[in-house]
Amino acid sequence: MACPLSPEHLIIVCCHGIWTGGPARGYDENEWLIAGFQKGETPTFIEHVKAGLRVLSEDVTSLLFFSGGPTRRETRLSEARSYANLAEANSYFDILPEVAVGRRVICEERALDSYSNVLFSLVKFWCDCGEWPQRMTIVSHAFKRERLVDLHCGAIRFPLDRVNFVGVDPPGMRDGTNEAAWKGVAEAITQWKEDPHGIGKLLAGKRRKRNVWNTSQGLFLDEEKKLDSGVQLEEYLLGGARQPWS
């Protein structure tokens, strides 16, 4: 991909489902492939798309990455591509004119969990543009802020003072009535604290279960780019070595 402008700002919208298309342009939940526990959440997914587009509209040096791989056996369509399709089908919700979007909306189509949403998008930014972002904005559920910012960005040593977070929660999380979901949030935080890079049996197993199309989970798809990147891989990444984005 030819990278526009001189980008400095990486915006990541973490994807949570697959919009399969349809006349309701995403406003009918039957057009979505989602898990049972996500019932009623698709309007929130649309709000995440809108939030990412708003941040994009406010900064000409920004690029918007929809991040999420193909996670359903019913289709090879990735979560990221479906969100991009949704934005286009809705004329970018009149937040940005199509001519202003150009090549500034990008799909990261391999991530299978929230850690990979951050790390794969960061690396793809460099692979596409040849430079590391100076700052990052992450869009997701508000209840995932600690996981995405403090734990994931902290684990890969992206400076937290250069990270912004935009959180929009689904119904039941905003009013605190979904006690089971809040319990799950606490359990996930504990799991990621114990396994910051998601390489242990539990978190890696969740990723494998979602990888229904055997999507590559290597950090780089191109050996030459891997060598040129300056990224300290494997045990260095796990050990907290300084990285080129630090």
Side-chain angles (χ1 to χ4, degrees):
M1 164 192 153
C3 193
L5 307 170
S6 296
E8 299 178 354
H9 182 187
L10 167 61
I11 306 163
I12 304 169
V13 172
C14 301
C15 303
H16 301 283
I18 297 175
W19 178 60
T20 60
R25 295 179 296 175
Y27 287 94
D28 181 345
E29 197 152 275
N30 291 320
E31 294 179 347
W32 290 79
L33 292 173
I34 56 173
F37 69 87
Q38 294 175 305
K39 185 175 176 58
E41 292 189 14
T42 55
T44 306
F45 303 162
I46 294 173
E47 291 305 312
H48 291 164
V49 174
K50 291 179 182 179
L53 289 168
R54 289 190 193 101
V55 179
L56 185 70
S57 73
E58 295 165 357
D59 183 356
V60 296
T61 73
S62 63
L63 297 177
L64 172 58
F65 282 59
F66 291 120
S67 175
T71 55
R72 298 290 295 235
R73 295 189 184 278
E74 297 96 322
T75 179
R76 287 184 176 268
L77 182 67
S78 71
E79 295 176 351
R81 184 65 59 185
S82 82
Y83 274 46
N85 292 346
L86 178 75
E88 184 176 11
N90 284 279
S91 302
Y92 300 97
F93 301 97
D94 295 323
I95 295 168
L96 278 168
E98 187 169 351
V99 67
V101 174
R103 299 190 305 276
R104 297 177 63 204
V105 174
I106 298 161
C107 294
E108 184 292 300
E109 299 185 82
R110 299 191 297 117
L112 299 172
D113 60 19
S114 55
Y115 175 88
S116 299
N117 286 145
V118 175
L119 187 56
F120 284 5
S121 296
L122 180 61
V123 169
K124 184 169 174 56
F125 186 102
W126 182 85
C127 288
D128 287 354
C129 302
E131 49 195 305
W132 298 101
Q134 295 301 306
R135 57 195 181 281
M136 181 190 301
T137 296
I138 303 172
V139 180
S140 187
H141 297 316
F143 67 79
K144 290 189 175 181
R145 186 194 185 285
E146 181 180 0
R147 186 200 308 187
L148 284 156
V149 178
D150 299 335
L151 299 184
H152 298 339
C153 291
I156 66 173
R157 297 193 65 183
F158 193 91
L160 300 190
D161 61 356
R162 288 160 42 195
V163 180
N164 185 39
F165 183 80
V166 178
V168 182
D169 268 343
M173 300 301 286
R174 289 192 293 268
D175 58 17
T177 59
N178 195 334
E179 294 181 8
W182 277 112
K183 182 179 179 181
V185 171
E187 290 175 350
I189 290 293
T190 299
Q191 291 163 6
W192 283 105
K193 283 182 176 179
E194 294 174 349
D195 183 12
H197 298 275
I199 60 173
K201 182 178 180 180
L202 178 62
L203 294 176
K206 290 181 179 180
R207 223 169 17 245
R208 281 193 297 272
K209 186 176 180 180
R210 296 186 188 113
N211 197 3
V212 295
W213 294 104
N214 296 317
T215 303
S216 172
Q217 293 299 287
L219 195 52
F220 291 89
L221 297 177
D222 183 289
E223 185 69 23
E224 185 175 346
K225 285 188 180 293
K226 180 174 75 172
L227 295 173
D228 290 344
S229 70
V231 176
Q232 301 293 316
L233 291 173
E234 298 167 352
E235 68 268 21
Y236 299 103
L237 183 63
L238 303 183
R242 181 174 176 82
Q243 299 293 348
W245 55 74
S246 299

